[in-house]
Amino acid sequence: MAKDSVEPAAQLLELHIKHELAALKGAKCRKFLHTEVQELYGLASRVTLRQAVTEEQIMGVIRRLVVNMELDGGIPELAGEMAAKVAAAPVQSTTRLGDVLSREQLTGFVEEILVLREHRERLISEVMAHPVYQELVSNIVYHGIINYIYEDNLISRSVPGVGSMMKFGKRMATKAVPGIDETFERRIKSYLSDSLPGLIGRSEQFLNKALSDSELHDSIMAIWKGVEDRTLEELQVGLGEIELQEFVVLGYGFWLEFRQTAYFDGCCEAVVKHLFDKYGDQPLTELLGDVGVTEEVIQTEVDTFAQPVLDLLREEGYLEALLRRRLTPFYSSAAVKKILAD
């Protein structure tokens, strides 16, 4: 009795596996997949985002896979190699900058940037207030005064020999009164230090006026006119493969640290919260549609990838082994044996 019950079960197992393998290829498989996509898309029109997943689950995925996941050192190496291949690709020598970014697109970006006038003025003000810039201005003005006194003033240029005599007089005065140079320099720099706030203020006013919307627009478009017909290869001159890979490594290092910051975590939380505020109680198809994922898009990708992958899995024997692992316990179960025995 036991032998008779096992034999039909084994036969049914083989028949079932054969049936599934036949159903997962060709037109039958394509029809099956299209039907399931239709059914799933229909289900997505009734199921909301909040029913399918929670905010905590999404944040958990971000923290596990984006923030905490250990990334192997081969990633920046591979990225650097790919960047070098892209930079050396033949298309770089045949593609103009204008082919990548049109004049109309650039104009749109420039106009949006010009709207940020307050930010531009604040940036100028902060640059002017920086000690390095103030020291630069002070040194330029100081050397301008010295050059004018000893070399470039109207008298020196008009009367032959006066410039040389002034320099000679300076040397003699220095010998007669040691330290006079330092005293003179100190007094000029003290005067410049007192005058510097006014100089900086006038410089800031000048820049804000000179960098008007129209001036900036015309300057940027003039620069663009000079580079839009140059190829990307020409624009990359001086950027070697080593330097490019170093930039990739630096960018990768920045990302590894940035993803661990509280700022990044806060940004992710804000985005996920907004996603659920907007789509949490809406059908999943609303979210999919807003990001351009329609049923037709899914069907196209299923046709492109699903069938070839299933064919490969069948050729490698994986698909049959999977079906056996999945179905053998059922056909070997006591329940099946009992039914066949009865």
Side-chain angles (χ1 to χ4, degrees):
M1 179 67 70
K3 182 178 179 181
D4 293 338
S5 65
V6 172
E7 183 81 23
Q11 292 176 2
L12 285 173
L13 172 62
E14 295 303 320
L15 287 172
H16 194 167
I17 290 174
K18 185 177 180 181
H19 168 79
E20 294 294 339
L21 288 173
L24 292 174
K25 68 177 180 180
K28 288 182 179 179
C29 181
R30 188 172 184 274
K31 182 179 179 181
F32 164 73
L33 292 172
H34 276 248
T35 299
E36 293 309 310
V37 169
Q38 289 175 351
E39 292 295 325
L40 284 170
Y41 211 82
L43 178 62
S45 67
R46 303 189 300 273
V47 174
T48 67
L49 175 63
R50 215 177 294 277
Q51 284 179 283
V53 69
T54 66
E55 293 182 45
E56 292 74 21
Q57 286 174 314
I58 297 295
M59 283 304 302
V61 170
I62 293 173
R63 288 177 178 132
R64 287 193 302 274
L65 301 184
V66 179
V67 177
N68 297 322
M69 184 177 178
E70 292 294 331
L71 301 176
D72 190 79
I75 293 178
E77 180 181 354
L78 179 60
E81 292 171 354
M82 289 182 172
K85 292 298 181 183
V86 169
V91 71
Q92 301 288 348
S93 62
T94 58
T95 303
R96 300 177 308 116
L97 181 59
D99 297 330
V100 179
L101 179 66
S102 69
R103 180 179 289 267
E104 292 74 20
Q105 290 172 324
L106 176 67
T107 301
F109 282 119
V110 171
E111 289 175 353
E112 287 302 316
I113 292 172
L114 293 178
V115 172
L116 304 175
R117 184 178 183 86
E118 182 181 343
H119 295 76
R120 185 169 74 240
E121 291 178 353
R122 186 167 67 245
L123 176 62
I124 290 173
S125 178
E126 290 175 356
V127 170
M128 294 291 180
H130 197 281
V132 173
Y133 177 79
Q134 294 187 3
E135 184 177 353
L136 172 67
V137 171
S138 180
N139 280 326
I140 290 174
V141 174
Y142 169 76
H143 287 293
I145 292 173
I146 296 300
N147 288 339
Y148 177 79
I149 291 174
Y150 292 114
E151 297 178 10
D152 240 0
N153 60 71
L154 183 62
I155 297 176
S156 297
R157 290 200 304 268
S158 302
V159 182
V162 170
S164 300
M165 185 170 292
M166 290 183 71
K167 292 179 186 178
F168 175 75
K170 173 178 178 288
R171 290 195 296 271
M172 293 302 294
T174 300
K175 289 180 180 179
V177 186
I180 192 172
D181 262 358
E182 290 77 5
T183 302
F184 181 61
E185 178 180 347
R186 205 163 40 246
R187 287 183 177 177
I188 290 181
K189 288 191 173 180
S190 175
Y191 165 76
L192 289 176
S193 178
D194 294 337
S195 305
L196 195 58
L199 288 171
I200 297 298
R202 286 192 289 275
S203 297
E204 186 174 338
Q205 292 172 7
F206 170 79
L207 283 176
N208 283 328
K209 185 177 180 180
L211 297 178
S212 64
D213 290 354
S214 59
E215 290 288 342
L216 275 174
H217 179 275
D218 293 345
S219 297
I220 293 173
M221 298 313 295
I223 294 171
W224 174 257
K225 187 176 181 180
V227 298
E228 65 177 329
D229 289 326
R230 297 176 65 183
T231 66
L232 299 183
E233 183 180 57
E234 292 173 327
L235 295 173
Q236 293 171 13
V237 171
L239 181 63
E241 182 176 331
I242 301 297
E243 290 81 1
L244 184 60
Q245 290 185 355
E246 285 298 322
F247 275 116
V248 172
V249 171
L250 287 172
Y252 179 70
F254 165 78
W255 164 247
L256 289 181
E257 293 188 13
F258 177 67
R259 66 177 185 156
Q260 298 283 347
T261 62
Y263 173 77
F264 179 78
D265 190 74
C267 290
C268 291
E269 284 188 344
V271 169
V272 172
K273 184 179 185 305
H274 176 70
L275 183 71
F276 276 82
D277 287 344
K278 185 172 183 178
Y279 295 105
D281 299 316
Q282 299 292 322
L284 287 170
T285 47
E286 288 292 324
L287 172 57
L288 293 173
D290 283 354
V291 296
V293 180
T294 64
E295 182 180 337
E296 291 72 23
V297 169
I298 298 173
Q299 296 284 19
T300 299
E301 299 311 316
V302 165
D303 286 341
T304 302
F305 293 104
Q307 192 66 65
V309 170
L310 288 172
D311 289 343
L312 175 62
L313 295 178
R314 183 187 303 101
E315 292 169 6
E316 295 297 322
Y318 174 84
L319 200 54
E320 181 178 347
L322 170 64
L323 291 169
R324 290 189 181 280
R325 288 193 298 271
R326 180 69 178 164
L327 298 176
T328 298
F330 170 74
Y331 285 102
S332 302
S333 67
V336 171
K337 292 177 181 180
K338 184 176 184 304
I339 291 175
L340 292 178
D342 293 342

